[in-house]
Amino acid sequence: MSLEIKEVKTAAEMKQFIRFYTTLYKNNKQVAFPIHLDESHTLKKSKNPALAFCKGKYWLAYRNNQVVGRIAAIINRKEQEKLDQKIGRFGWFDFTDDQRVSAALMKTAIEWLKQNDAEVLHGPMGFTDMDRQGLLIEGFACEGTLATQYNYPYYEKHIENLAFEKSTDWVEYEIQTNDAIAGKMESLAQRCKERNKLVSIKPKGSREVKKIAPEIFKLINECYKDLYGFIPLTKEQMDYYTKSYLSFINMNLISLVGDETGKLIGVGIAMPSFTKALQKAKGKLFPFGALHLLKAVNKNDRVDLYLIAVDEQYQNKGVNAIIMSDIISGAARMGIYTAESNIELEDNKKVQAMWRFTPNRQHKRRRCYSKQL
């Protein structure tokens, strides 16, 4: 029953690293399984532009030649520069309910981080804010989403037993709408446009959205610059996310707001929920996973809100109302009246104020932990 911690070095070991999560949660009804190919691209330097300024190591825990845990240790140089702190990250931290496994994995990760001069560690985090982050500590009966990672309740006890403390929390909301709410929001949005001389920018398709992409990401960089864990996106990352995600935008679920000159000052992006499709795919695109995902785009009962950004000069001027109106109305045209907010920092009151327009419930909470090394 000896426990072995082994660094991931081969393609076969990387495959084990990626697929361990699917194996660990194979009987769980809430998890939205990450697509294995997407995980592979995220973890490979040749595919993920964030690894131009990050470095990471990955380890697996084995008992009797069976994988029982995994962990990634990450150094993000841009984060260290931004915070002027020798900080490291841990992520992809999954394990069976055995404290010896989680402790051995974390010990190995910390040893490597110390060798790279890290003095503080926080997580669970990915390479950047665009990866899944935070440990689920409330809402275990709720389904996960494409943008979030589900975990078993016992993770919290394991991490706290490793002397980690709360650094920050993210909360998530479920939002309900109806045709009456959509109508009221549309009237409110129109008044905001007239009062502040704002316009809705209406791209005709994903090709036009991709042309506006540099403006979208520039706005995101500016609006998110002070958020916990956010590192400004590089041009290479912008190109990567444009190709990976903006090509598949549903025009009903994107809101672009401009000032009177047409300059972009607000953006909101949502997508039909992929939760059910990911549960069926179990990490695999083939032979049927891709079909489940395509079906989800056109037939769904909820949407996931991925991002909202508003130019600082235009905050508290009704831009949020315009964005919400566009997305609520677009979802209503698709027959969808339920939305998941995905994660938002617990102290981000400006975003949370948006949900006052609709019936809502705060149903999930995630935590980022930290520890002095």
Side-chain angles (χ1 to χ4, degrees):
M1 300 265 312
S2 62
L3 182 66
E4 178 186 11
I5 306 299
K6 187 176 180 180
E7 182 183 342
V8 173
K9 292 184 177 180
T10 69
E13 290 164 349
M14 178 59 79
K15 186 176 180 179
Q16 286 184 309
F17 185 91
I18 291 169
R19 298 195 175 194
F20 172 68
Y21 183 82
T22 307
T23 302
L24 186 63
Y25 288 88
K26 63 182 179 181
N27 296 319
N28 186 273
K29 304 300 183 183
Q30 285 76 41
V31 64
F33 295 99
I35 295 297
H36 295 157
L37 183 62
D38 289 344
E39 289 285 89
S40 175
H41 286 179
T42 299
L43 295 165
K44 286 183 180 178
K45 187 171 184 178
S46 61
K47 297 290 186 179
N48 187 353
L51 286 165
F53 54 85
C54 294
K55 61 179 177 179
K57 289 282 186 180
Y58 320 125
W59 294 272
L60 287 164
Y62 295 87
R63 178 174 282 130
N64 298 331
N65 295 318
Q66 295 294 316
V67 178
V68 291
R70 67 176 185 174
I71 195 170
I74 298 163
I75 296 288
N76 183 318
R77 293 192 300 275
K78 288 185 177 293
E79 178 177 48
Q80 292 185 336
E81 292 168 3
K82 175 184 175 180
L83 300 178
D84 191 22
Q85 186 180 41
K86 294 179 179 179
I87 193 167
R89 298 177 168 207
F90 72 88
W92 286 270
F93 190 31
D94 298 286
F95 40 85
T96 58
D97 191 7
D98 184 336
Q99 189 75 52
R100 290 169 295 180
V101 174
S102 56
L105 284 165
M106 185 59 72
K107 179 182 178 182
T108 304
I110 287 175
E111 287 173 353
W112 179 81
L113 287 161
K114 284 183 174 179
Q115 290 169 11
N116 285 269
D117 299 322
E119 298 175 351
V120 183
L121 176 59
H122 67 156
M125 306 279 281
F127 296 104
T128 73
D129 189 64
M130 305 299 280
D131 297 321
R132 298 176 184 89
Q133 54 192 1
L135 186 83
L136 185 68
I137 60 170
E138 294 176 9
F140 296 103
C142 302
E143 291 182 335
T145 68
L146 172 67
T148 59
Q149 189 97 327
Y150 185 87
N151 57 264
Y152 290 125
Y154 65 77
Y155 281 39
E156 181 179 6
K157 181 179 178 181
H158 280 242
I159 290 180
E160 290 180 353
N161 284 345
L162 293 169
F164 282 87
E165 297 180 346
K166 174 185 173 180
S167 183
T168 193
D169 279 4
W170 294 274
V171 292
E172 299 171 57
Y173 289 81
E174 182 183 71
I175 301 142
Q176 301 290 338
T177 68
N178 54 45
D179 290 332
I181 290 174
K184 291 179 181 178
M185 287 298 299
E186 190 170 353
S187 297
L188 176 60
Q190 187 58 40
R191 292 198 299 272
C192 292
K193 288 179 184 178
E194 294 171 357
R195 183 167 59 247
N196 297 293
K197 297 181 180 180
L198 303 175
V199 297
S200 288
I201 300 171
K202 298 292 186 182
K204 295 179 181 178
S206 60
R207 185 173 297 180
E208 288 191 14
V209 174
K210 289 169 71 174
K211 289 181 180 179
I212 306 171
E215 296 178 57
I216 293 174
F217 286 118
K218 180 181 178 182
L219 183 63
I220 291 170
N221 273 349
E222 182 59 31
C223 295
Y224 289 13
K225 66 180 185 298
D226 295 325
L227 294 183
Y228 185 97
F230 182 76
I231 307 301
L233 300 169
T234 64
K235 181 182 182 304
E236 290 75 19
Q237 286 178 283
M238 293 179 188
D239 292 342
Y240 176 76
Y241 292 121
T242 298
K243 182 179 179 181
S244 300
Y245 300 109
L246 293 188
S247 299
F248 305 101
I249 288 294
N250 185 308
M251 291 301 108
N252 285 307
L253 300 176
I254 183 170
S255 175
L256 301 172
V257 183
D259 64 13
E260 59 185 328
T261 70
K263 176 188 174 184
L264 185 70
I265 55 92
V267 59
I269 296 177
M271 292 280 282
S273 171
F274 290 107
T275 296
K276 297 295 186 186
L278 292 168
Q279 289 173 338
K280 293 175 182 177
K282 293 191 183 304
K284 299 177 181 178
L285 283 177
F286 303 102
F288 302 116
L291 293 176
H292 293 313
L293 293 170
L294 286 172
K295 183 178 179 181
V297 172
N298 299 307
K299 186 178 181 180
N300 220 303
D301 61 358
R302 64 176 52 210
V303 298
D304 290 346
L305 305 176
Y306 282 103
L307 64 88
I308 294 174
V310 177
D311 188 303
E312 189 174 13
Q313 296 182 10
Y314 284 87
Q315 292 178 7
N316 300 317
K317 292 187 177 181
V319 179
N320 284 345
I322 299 171
I323 292 172
M324 286 301 298
S325 175
D326 287 344
I327 293 176
I328 288 173
S329 297
R333 289 193 292 273
M334 301 170 68
I336 301 175
Y337 298 95
T338 302
E340 285 268 357
S341 73
N342 279 310
I343 66 171
E344 53 198 57
L345 286 163
E346 62 180 344
D347 58 357
N348 193 341
K349 303 304 181 184
K350 290 181 179 178
V351 170
Q352 290 159 29
M354 294 173 59
W355 316 138
R356 72 184 187 277
F357 298 116
T358 62
N360 67 80
R361 67 182 180 115
Q362 189 258 300
H363 63 320
K364 286 181 272 188
R365 178 179 292 268
R366 297 175 192 278
R367 179 157 295 170
C368 182
Y369 291 86
S370 65
K371 177 179 181 177
Q372 295 289 325
L373 300 183

